[in-house]
Amino acid sequence: RSLPKHSITRTFLEPLTDNLDMTSADGAQSKIWRSRFNPSFSPRNIALVIPELIDEILVFKELLANIADSNGSWSEVFQMEDLTTNLTFDVILRAAL
């Protein structure tokens, strides 16, 4: 069942999507979006993309290893926001395509 979306979400997305998106849609519009995307998230389909997702995670691991100190001790503090954002997009795109 589709729960009502918070007004902040709807207010924020309205100028961009006119609230015709999966995140802010309610009622019948929400059901349409869910019916279109639900098959992609079936256990069978998720299992099929696991090898590709692992490839992306290994790339992320290598990026972290290159930043970390090679002898296993603490290294300089670094920002992970860009790295994790890129990983998130890479995983989503691999799963979607």
Side-chain angles (χ1 to χ4, degrees), residues 41 53 56 85-97:
F41 296 100
L53 301 182
E56 294 298 338
T85 299
N86 290 342
L87 172 64
T88 301
F89 279 105
D90 291 344
V91 165
I92 290 169
L93 288 173
R94 280 279 195 128
L97 299 176

Side-chain angles (χ1 to χ4, degrees), residues 33-53:
W33 280 113
R34 285 182 56 90
S35 69
R36 290 180 181 162
F37 282 93
N38 273 348
S40 300
F41 296 100
S42 71
R44 188 179 125 246
N45 284 338
I46 296 295
L48 289 173
V49 297
I50 286 176
E52 294 173 16
L53 301 182

